[in-house]
Amino acid sequence: MASKPGPLTRWPWHDMGNYKYALVAPWAAYSTYRFAAATARGEEGDLLSLFVLPTLLFRLLYTQLWISVSRHQTARSKHRIVSKSLDFDQVDRERNWDDQIILTALLFYVVNWTAPFAQGLPWWNPRGLVVTALLHLGPVEFLYYWFHRALHHHFLYARYHSHHHASIVTEPVTSVIHPFAEEAVYFGLFAIPLLSMMATGTGSVAMSNAYLVYIDFMNYLGHCNFELVPKLLFELFPPLKYLMYTPSFHSLHHTQFRTNYSLFVPFYDYLYGTMDKSSDDLYERTLHGREEAPDVVHLTHLTAPGSLLHLRLGFASLAAAPLDSRPPSALAWSLAMVERPLAALAALLGTTAFRCEANRMGKLSTETWVVPRYTSQYTSKKDGHAVSRVVERAVADAEASGAAVLTLGLLNQGYELNRNGELYVIRKPDMKTKIVDGTSLAVAAVLHMVPRGARDVLLLGKECKVVAVLAQALCERDIQVRVVDADLHEALGQQISPELRGRLALSCSYSSKVWLVGDGLTAREQERAAPGTHFVPYSQFPVTGGGGARADCVYHSTPALVAPESYENLHACENWLPRRVMSAWRAAGIVHALERWPGHECGDAVTGVDKAWRAALAHGFRPYDAADGAAKPVQARADAK
């Protein structure tokens, strides 16, 4: 909200959530019925009211495309204008960008219903284009300029316009984030060409809707945080610089505040001397761009089909929440309709990983790359070879980009796929990029979640590198490790130091109050646990039944850490983890790069549990556990060594 909210700052349907779309439904149903009835009588139906709903749906899709493209471009970073951080607060503040689209639809219905001259408009009338252009360049732009300057007076700014300017780093939807009263004035200005067309008999359905799309286009263009307007346009037609702004031109208004007030046409800033003198220079610099090679690349992949919509490039409000959180019921059906076609498209078109997120921690730049393949494809024999090729190509791309460290998230480090990343080092021994599987820090995070005072744990799962290192670390801390699987017991017995093997026991009892579990723990197995048992996953995937299949047991998070405050531009959740929490595997690569450790941590190589934990804490990472309210920190923690 504004710093000192004034009257009518809240939107009328603020408390309705996504049920606000129900306000449009009666009007849409009636206009469709009226059009159908007129057609049945052989009369000409009203096209303007009929096209309100299709236009609304088109504008929603159009806006989402702008969001996704803009976020993809800023992740690539070459033409980024402002390099400051964008946070979760901004995402929350801008999540209701569709309010103005709904308001437009309702006003169109009301005007069409109450004004006879707005009914029976033809599909197209070329004279309307001239009327609209002249009225927009004249009264709309002129009145907007002076109204905008008035909004920057401290009285109106504190009560209304400060809400919009809270976003220093702009995104396309920042353009439409205003208090209701302010947005209502803008609608009054934009109504001048629309109502004038209709009143003078020059209006048309196509021109009315085209004007809305033009407003959307210019709004979103100006609030992109990257420059995309080609210089050739201004070279071919020099006066265009007075008639069309650019993203860099308007970004100066959000960083300098007292310059570049114009709506879309900079002419009035030139006329009244409010154009920022650095506008042309900023345009030239950002258009030329600069390449920023990542220091750390985290390679992850899609999980379920719905995870595509939860990416930073997808729906911003979904990306800002954990993957397993349920969308509002009003949206659930629509998400289910689009997620599977999008999943199929991603798998069809994706031959390599794509950049999803770019972050910074001091001078260290990090990127998250997503392999467009799903968990089911990683575990499928049919798709396994194709997945392997995509991952290997992503590793090669990271090496070519100059990344110092590459971390392998989720199933990208599977032993069957690449032997915990060792396969890439074997194939290219001189690889400069360090492959980090994050085992040491993941084990340290698991140890932190083991409740204080635990003297024994039950270790379940399959043999893997994390299990071996975890068992060794537990035995070193004088904690009895019980294993019910004979094959796992034998394998661990060969890998644990001889002097510690006495603390590894083959057991047929499930009575331990602490279970360390991997993937695939079934509900039936969980039923064997005694009340009060702690389920601590050492896998990158949460326990089956997530968050509490047993109400009388405690479920801990997957190994993870809270990101330091200095870690910037973090406004999307990593899979099922909450805000500003990242998996230990992802954090391990950042720590590895910050410490400039020379070796790989892949295959059998281990950085060291205590070493990795101390380094992570020293760089500002904090322990995380979803069950902190139910469990105390680990006895004999790694940071106490």
Side-chain angles (χ1 to χ4, degrees):
M1 296 294 290
S3 54
K4 296 179 180 179
L8 297 176
T9 56
R10 281 168 56 97
W11 286 72
W13 47 76
H14 175 81
D15 296 327
M16 294 181 65
N18 286 306
Y19 290 104
K20 60 192 175 186
Y21 285 94
L23 298 172
V24 179
W27 292 95
Y30 180 72
S31 64
T32 304
Y33 165 77
R34 191 173 63 166
F35 183 86
T39 303
R41 294 192 301 268
E43 301 174 359
E44 187 175 349
D46 191 89
L47 289 172
L48 184 63
S49 62
L50 181 69
F51 271 83
V52 171
L53 181 60
T55 301
L56 179 148
L57 298 176
F58 171 79
R59 293 179 70 199
L60 291 174
L61 176 61
Y62 182 65
T63 304
Q64 181 57 48
L65 288 174
W66 269 100
I67 294 171
S68 298
V69 170
S70 175
R71 289 189 161 199
H72 176 63
Q73 289 294 327
T74 53
R76 294 176 60 192
S77 79
K78 182 176 181 180
H79 300 288
R80 188 186 303 136
I81 301 170
V82 179
S83 296
K84 294 183 180 180
S85 181
L86 192 155
D87 55 26
F88 285 103
D89 288 341
Q90 180 170 337
V91 173
D92 291 341
R93 186 171 60 253
E94 297 180 352
R95 67 188 308 160
N96 293 325
W97 52 263
D98 54 346
D99 280 343
Q100 51 90 26
I101 296 179
I102 294 175
L103 180 59
T104 305
L106 294 175
L107 290 177
F108 261 62
Y109 281 128
V110 170
V111 171
N112 180 261
W113 175 257
T114 58
F117 59 76
Q119 300 171 7
L121 294 181
W123 172 249
W124 172 247
N125 187 334
R127 292 183 297 167
L129 176 60
V130 178
V131 172
T132 301
L134 292 176
L135 291 177
H136 180 84
L137 291 172
V140 174
E141 289 280 351
F142 175 79
L143 293 173
Y144 176 91
Y145 174 85
W146 286 107
F147 176 62
H148 194 184
R149 289 191 64 170
L151 285 172
H152 278 259
H153 184 275
H154 63 85
F155 181 85
L156 291 178
Y157 185 83
R159 287 160 177 77
Y160 298 103
H161 203 49
S162 59
H163 180 68
H164 177 70
H165 273 278
S167 301
I168 304 298
V169 181
T170 59
E171 293 198 288
V173 293
T174 305
S175 62
V176 294
I177 302 303
H178 302 284
F180 175 72
E182 185 177 337
E183 192 71 41
V185 176
Y186 296 148
F187 271 81
L189 294 177
F190 297 143
I192 294 174
L194 293 171
L195 295 178
S196 297
M197 274 195 304
M198 297 173 187
T200 58
T202 60
S204 66
V205 176
M207 195 60 235
S208 298
N209 290 296
Y211 185 55
L212 295 180
V213 175
Y214 164 77
I215 292 170
D216 287 342
F217 177 84
M218 295 302 295
N219 258 331
Y220 301 155
L221 171 76
H223 288 80
C224 282
N225 191 30
F226 64 97
E227 189 55 74
L228 74 163
V229 180
K231 190 176 181 180
L232 181 63
L233 287 178
F234 300 107
E235 291 175 346
L236 292 176
F237 186 62
L240 188 63
K241 68 180 295 186
Y242 302 104
L243 301 176
M244 176 182 174
Y245 72 170
T246 64
S248 55
F249 180 93
H250 190 70
S251 73
L252 286 168
H253 177 71
H254 278 260
T255 56
Q256 305 302 321
F257 298 104
R258 298 292 183 181
T259 58
N260 297 5
Y261 291 103
S262 294
L263 177 57
F264 310 139
V265 178
F267 171 77
Y268 292 99
D269 280 304
Y270 283 96
L271 180 63
Y272 295 110
T274 53
M275 190 200 75
D276 196 292
K277 293 180 174 58
S278 64
S279 297
D280 292 339
D281 179 62
L282 181 62
Y283 170 74
E284 294 281 353
R285 285 190 288 109
T286 53
L287 188 63
H288 180 268
R290 63 188 183 280
E291 294 289 351
E292 293 183 8
D295 298 304
V296 180
V297 170
H298 177 62
L299 188 63
T300 184
H301 62 79
L302 301 171
T303 52
S307 65
L308 190 66
L309 301 177
H310 285 74
L311 292 179
R312 179 183 178 274
L313 306 182
F315 290 175
S317 57
L318 294 182
L323 180 60
D324 60 354
S325 58
R326 295 289 178 263
S329 56
L331 278 181
W333 66 272
S334 57
L335 296 180
M337 289 178 62
V338 301
E339 65 183 20
R340 292 198 177 276
L342 288 175
L345 181 63
L348 179 65
L349 299 180
T351 57
T352 187
F354 58 89
R355 290 170 175 79
C356 178
E357 188 173 342
N359 308 94
R360 182 168 290 278
M361 184 174 172
K363 295 182 179 180
L364 191 78
S365 63
T366 71
E367 291 183 356
T368 298
W369 295 5
V370 179
V371 175
R373 296 293 183 270
Y374 295 89
T375 299
S376 59
Q377 293 172 295
Y378 277 78
T379 56
S380 167
K381 293 182 179 180
K382 176 183 176 183
D383 300 318
H385 185 61
V387 169
S388 178
R389 290 200 308 270
V390 176
V391 175
E392 186 167 4
R393 181 174 176 182
V395 173
D397 289 344
E399 168 84 354
S401 72
V405 173
L406 171 71
T407 54
L408 300 171
L410 299 180
L411 298 179
N412 287 322
Q413 58 171 259
Y415 187 84
E416 296 80 4
L417 184 69
N418 52 42
R419 294 166 54 180
N420 301 106
E422 184 182 32
L423 183 62
Y424 308 125
V425 179
I426 293 174
R427 291 178 178 175
K428 192 175 181 181
D430 60 343
M431 178 181 287
K432 295 181 180 180
T433 300
K434 305 306 177 186
I435 305 294
V436 175
D437 62 20
T439 296
S440 297
L441 194 54
V443 169
V446 173
L447 293 175
H448 181 83
M449 290 187 287
V450 175
R452 186 186 301 276
R455 304 308 308 163
D456 68 276
V457 299
L458 180 64
L459 186 59
L460 298 175
K462 299 178 181 179
E463 179 192 359
C464 65
K465 181 180 179 181
V466 170
V467 167
V469 176
L470 179 58
Q472 172 81 18
L474 288 164
C475 291
E476 289 175 351
R477 286 154 177 76
D478 199 24
I479 297 177
Q480 182 78 45
V481 179
R482 303 182 185 277
V483 181
V484 296
D485 184 272
D487 293 336
L488 179 60
H489 179 265
E490 181 180 355
L492 292 177
Q494 296 174 2
Q495 299 178 63
I496 290 178
S497 303
E499 66 274 13
L500 299 176
R501 289 173 185 168
R503 295 170 188 158
L504 177 69
L506 181 63
S507 173
C508 59
S509 171
Y510 290 82
S511 60
S512 175
K513 285 299 187 74
V514 180
W515 288 24
L516 306 183
V517 298
D519 297 332
L521 182 70
T522 65
R524 178 170 293 184
E525 288 175 314
Q526 294 176 55
E527 290 173 0
R528 296 187 177 188
T533 296
H534 290 256
F535 293 102
V536 182
Y538 56 79
S539 164
Q540 299 204 40
F541 292 88
V543 175
T544 303
R550 286 274 302 270
D552 58 349
C553 294
V554 180
Y555 289 80
H556 297 256
S557 70
T558 54
L561 295 96
V562 181
E565 292 299 322
S566 58
Y567 196 77
E568 299 179 349
N569 209 37
L570 187 59
H571 53 273
C573 289
E574 182 183 352
N575 297 319
W576 33 80
L577 296 171
R579 293 179 170 186
R580 294 202 65 82
V581 175
M582 66 174 61
S583 67
W585 291 269
R586 180 180 175 185
I590 298 171
V591 173
H592 201 99
L594 290 170
E595 290 290 320
R596 298 184 179 180
W597 287 329
H600 300 277
E601 186 182 38
C602 61
D604 295 328
V606 178
T607 299
V609 175
D610 298 339
K611 178 181 178 181
W613 186 250
R614 286 194 298 267
L617 296 181
H619 286 291
F621 287 93
R622 303 197 312 277
Y624 171 75
D625 185 4
D628 268 344
K632 299 299 181 183
V634 68
Q635 154 227 17
R637 295 191 312 186
D639 57 328
K641 298 290 284 184

